Amino acid sequence: MTPMVDVTFLLLIFFMITAAFALQKAMEVPPVDDDEAAPTQVIEDPEKDIVTVRLDEDNIYWISAPVFGAEEKKAVSRQDMRELVREAREGGSGGKGPSKILVQAHGDATHEYMVAALDAGAAVKMQEISMMVYEDGEL
């Protein structure tokens, strides 16, 4: 019986050592009281110091930033979106660009793509990250 217990402990130790634990990213979201309405914030001048990432219902990113002028850049993949956000953060000519990002996601967009846009803002060290959900005709 003793050898069987020894083998069991060895197997237990082996599996504990070789088990890979994946670290998951987490974002703290403050709880909202049922009595309270969702927090809203009015942006005075959205073009001044903010990068806007709009995610449409087809999961296509549209990035606008002061460095791009009035033009909205299209990014089909998440890698393209990350590059455009990085370019907007750097300010184009090597200077410091906007320090805020606003992710506008359509109600029919996939949650995974919205989280990728939030992660892109965190990856380029945006100081303020905001998100909103919109439906057809609201923007």
Side-chain angles (χ1 to χ4, degrees), residues 13-90:
I13 291 170
F14 172 76
F15 285 121
M16 284 175 46
I17 291 173
T18 59
F21 297 103
L23 296 175
Q24 294 182 355
K25 293 182 180 180
M27 181 185 315
E28 274 190 44
V29 177
V32 177
D33 295 335
D34 291 337
D35 300 335
E36 235 178 76
T40 58
Q41 179 181 7
V42 177
I43 299 172
E44 298 292 328
D45 187 8
E47 301 296 322
K48 186 179 177 187
D49 187 33
I50 194 165
V51 175
T52 305
V53 178
R54 185 171 55 87
L55 179 62
D56 64 11
E57 63 272 5
D58 297 324
N59 295 323
I60 296 175
Y61 297 103
W62 297 89
I63 296 97
S64 61
V67 74
F68 302 143
E71 182 183 354
E72 223 179 14
K73 299 256 185 160
K74 179 180 180 180
V76 180
S77 70
R78 285 180 250 172
Q79 292 80 13
D80 293 341
M81 180 266 306
R82 285 188 195 114
E83 287 300 318
L84 287 171
V85 169
R86 180 174 290 114
E87 182 182 332
R89 173 68 168 134
E90 291 172 355

Side-chain angles (χ1 to χ4, degrees), residues 91-110:
S93 61
K96 273 296 190 193
S99 61
K100 300 176 187 174
I101 186 168
L102 172 64
V103 178
Q104 300 172 338
H106 191 276
D108 294 334
T110 306

